[in-house]
Structures are given as C-alpha cells and as structure tokens.
Amino acid sequence: MTVNVAVVGATGAVGEEFLRILESRKFPVKELKLLASKRSAGKKMRFYGCDYTVQELTKHSFQGIKIALFSAGGSISREYVPYAIESGAVCVDNSSAFRMDDDVPLVVPEVNPQDIAKHHGVIANPNCSTIQLVVALKPIHDAVRIKRIVVSTYQAVSGAGLKAIDELQKETASILSGHEGFKRNLFPYQIAFNVLPQIPQSNAFLPNGYTSEEMKMVNETKKIMGDNSIRVTATTVRVPVIRSHSESVNIETERKITAAAVKKLLSTAPGVKLVDDTANQLYPLATMAAGKDEVFVGRIREDESIDHGINMWVVSDNLRKGAALNAIQIAEKLL
Ligand code: A2P
C-alpha cells in the first residue's frame, strides 16, 4: 500500500531531513506534497532524483493526503493541523503545540509505541532533547525504576532552524577574519566560541526561573515514560555545534544497578548504540552521531556520591532521531 504524504515546512532544517529519510527508509510514498510559506512557493527540492515544486501552505493543501508531517513551528501546526484532520489525514506534528494535550499521544517508538493507537488525527513528536534521553533511559527504568533524573544539555544550533546554522557560520567567519560588529538576528548573544544557557533563544524565562525547553524535558519525559512519579530537572544549553545534541545525564534508581549492568542492558536496547571504551578513548561525539539514526551512549559510570546513581553521556542527531526520523518511525507504525 502506498499513501499520499505532505511535508509542512519542507524547506526547513527538519523538512530537508524528512525527504532524505523518506527515501532511505523507502517509505511507501504515492504522491509527495511539499508545503512551506508563500516565500518558498515555486522552489524545487529533490526527491528520488526528481524535482518537486514547493507549494504555499493553505487550508486546502491536504485534500487526498493520508499522512501529514508537520515541522513549521507551533503556530502553523495549531492553525493547519485541524484542516489536515478534516481532510482525513493523520498528522505527525514536530512542534510543541499539542504535546501535552491529554488526548494527543506523545510517542517515541522505542518507548511507548502502544500510545499511537490512541490518536484522534494527530500524534505529537517529542522535543529533540527528550527523545534521545528517554531512548537511553527506558531500559534502565524498566529494570530498576528511575526515581530522579538530572540532565544538562549541549544543544546544536540546527535545533533553532536553518537561520541559526547560518548565523553561527557567518559569525564564526566574521570573528576569524577579524571583522567587528557582526549583526546578529537570532541569538541574544554571540554563539560562535560561546555557550548560551537559554533555549529557546527567543523566549522569556518562566516564573520558576526555567526555560520552556527545560520544562518540556521535565513534562514530556513523564508523559512518554507513562510515570508521573519520576522527578526530572534540566538545564538546557546552546553550544556552537551545527548538528547533534549531547547530554550529561545523572539518574538515581530505586534498586541498585552497576555500571557494567547498565552497559549490558544498553548494548542490546532498541535504537541505542553503546560507545563506551574509555581505555581506547571511545565515547559518543556530536560528529559521530551526525547523520546517524541511533542514540549514542557512553561514559557510563556509577555516581559515587549516592547509593544508587549512574552518570552517562548521551548523544544523537537532533534533526534525525530528535525530529524527522522519530516522526517517520511513528508514521511507519501508523501504516
Ligand atoms: P519557508 O522556508 O518558506 O520560510 P526552520 O526550522 O529551518 O527555520 O524551517 C521552518 C520551516 O517552516 C520552513 O520550511 C518554513 O518555510 C516553514 N514556515 C515558516 N512560516 C511558514 C508559514 N507561514 N506557512 C508555511 N510554512 C512556514
């Protein structure tokens, strides 16, 4: 069976990745519709070696569409997902618009595939940092129950879209060539050669002092794992890396688990690639994960400051498993 697929936000950083993953996984596409803003209408994009013309997104864009993959931001999803559902499409939405709605499943296929069946026309794709975290932690939670998670992220600029990649590249070049006065459009401070403890860059801080990205990690982790009792605290940080988010993760478990047992568990866990050979200086890197599908985990060691604690380093490609790949895996399960 082949189906008609629409990609909303086709011209963005995640949109481009949707096309490459639909091709590489041989997703059964009958017709493909590429949608973006009016600015991009007429632009050509390659799919299976052929040119496809980008069309302007309108409420009539979804006629005959079976699967709609959205990645054009929350306000576009809020406005257009209802039209897509009305036309009979099932939407996989990469924005945060519907993630915490009770009647919208929030799914990572390695963790809670059973939730897909509960959808009413839209399935939410979780936040990129949350996806890689729960893929790495679910097997440990099932084995010894995780009581508390402390996570600090080192997030690539591509999470903020193509304009953010452009700003990092141009700012880096400008600084290296000795030019002063580079004009930033996106980040509040210099991102080249710097580290910014604020994601997203545009949002004000919440009354509790956290950012919305940090609270997404807290709330989405509980929803995906189906366990409200897990305590989660996060610090999310932007680093001058183009692709792949890295995370320092500390967990406290109910029952004791050794570092060796965690390594054994994760060596066969779905979607995980264990890279943990410190004798040979092998551990996950952003450059290692870029363009790959797995969640890379390493530096696994016991937290010697508490009785039942583990530290680890978790890295994954934010545009693939953190966005487009996870959404397409959901769509595959839908079919
Ligand atoms: P466009 O390229 O026409 O602006 P990124 O996350 O890389 O910034 O990409 C955002 C995606 O969302 C792009 O494909 C962008 O299209 C799309 N987008 C932004 N605003 C709209 C809009 N008003 N209608 C449809 N698509 C939009």
Side-chain angles (χ1 to χ4, degrees):
M1 185 190 59
T2 55
V3 293
N4 293 342
V5 176
V7 176
V8 180
T11 51
V14 175
E16 172 69 27
E17 215 55 41
F18 271 134
L19 301 195
R20 301 294 75 85
I21 295 172
L22 288 170
E23 283 175 342
S24 65
R25 295 177 74 89
K26 301 192 169 49
F27 192 87
V29 180
K30 190 168 170 193
E31 279 172 33
L32 180 69
K33 201 167 209 183
L34 303 180
L35 301 164
S37 77
K38 201 173 179 172
R39 294 178 293 275
S40 302
K43 193 182 157 187
K44 304 272 190 247
M45 294 184 78
R46 302 289 282 179
F47 185 62
Y48 281 120
C50 297
D51 275 340
Y52 282 70
T53 307
V54 177
Q55 300 174 35
E56 181 187 356
L57 171 68
T58 72
K59 58 183 177 182
H60 306 296
S61 296
F62 301 97
Q63 271 159 18
I65 297 295
K66 216 55 242 136
I67 302 274
L69 304 168
F70 275 77
S71 193
S75 56
I76 297 292
S77 291
R78 248 177 249 112
E79 187 174 348
Y80 289 94
V81 161
Y83 293 122
I85 296 174
E86 210 176 282
S87 301
V90 181
C91 305
V92 184
D93 180 30
N94 197 42
S95 83
S96 59
F98 307 105
R99 284 183 193 150
M100 295 311 294
D101 290 7
D102 283 340
D103 59 348
V104 175
L106 181 66
V107 175
V108 177
E110 291 86 347
V111 178
N112 60 336
Q114 71 284 356
D115 288 347
I116 293 175
K118 299 177 195 158
H119 80 83
H120 302 285
V122 57
I123 296 157
N125 203 46
N127 162 274
C128 43
S129 299
T130 310
I131 292 176
Q132 65 185 71
L133 180 72
V134 297
V135 168
L137 294 187
K138 177 68 161 63
I140 306 171
H141 189 52
D142 287 346
V144 288
R145 213 185 84 76
I146 296 173
K147 284 164 49 178
R148 181 167 184 252
I149 303 168
V150 182
V151 55
S152 300
T153 68
Y154 305 66
Q155 295 183 221
V157 294
S158 54
L162 289 176
K163 290 194 186 93
I165 300 175
D166 188 60
E167 185 158 312
L168 171 61
Q169 289 174 330
K170 290 197 170 129
E171 191 174 47
T172 305
S174 165
I175 291 170
L176 288 176
S177 62
H179 293 138
E180 279 174 27
F182 174 78
K183 198 175 161 324
R184 281 185 301 273
N185 291 312
L186 200 93
F187 292 108
Y189 298 101
Q190 176 183 323
I191 180 65
F193 308 102
N194 209 1
V195 165
L196 308 183
Q198 181 190 353
I199 300 178
Q201 63 285 342
S202 52
N203 265 22
F205 287 87
L206 302 169
N208 65 359
Y210 287 78
T211 64
S212 58
E213 183 86 351
E214 287 160 352
M215 294 316 296
K216 283 176 195 170
M217 292 195 76
V218 172
N219 297 322
E220 293 180 22
T221 297
K222 295 178 187 192
K223 180 167 173 177
I224 301 161
M225 300 271 252
D227 186 345
N228 253 325
S229 69
I230 308 176
R231 284 171 287 166
V232 187
T233 187
T235 302
T236 58
V237 180
R238 191 74 74 191
V239 293
V241 164
I242 288 183
R243 209 165 161 137
S244 300
H245 292 348
S246 304
E247 297 178 347
S248 161
V249 182
N250 174 265
I251 55 169
E252 186 176 358
T253 58
E254 193 167 278
R255 297 179 292 282
K256 168 80 182 165
I257 187 163
T258 63
V262 171
K263 287 182 199 179
K264 187 150 182 276
L265 259 183
L266 293 182
S267 66
T268 56
V272 172
K273 185 159 177 63
L274 184 70
V275 182
D276 197 337
D277 180 4
T278 46
N280 290 301
Q281 290 188 74
L282 278 177
Y283 36 74
L285 297 169
T287 47
M288 179 187 290
K292 303 278 176 20
D293 288 350
E294 297 93 344
V295 173
F296 293 73
V297 186
R299 297 293 324 276
I300 297 168
R301 60 218 190 271
E302 281 152 46
D303 173 356
E304 296 177 340
S305 72
I306 51 173
D307 287 339
H308 299 166
I310 293 285
N311 282 309
M312 61 175 81
W313 183 246
V314 179
V315 184
S316 192
D317 186 324
N318 56 303
L319 299 179
R320 289 179 75 89
K321 186 57 188 166
L325 172 63
N326 196 74
I328 289 171
Q329 287 173 321
I330 292 171
E332 286 170 348
K333 296 226 177 271
L334 270 169
L335 293 186

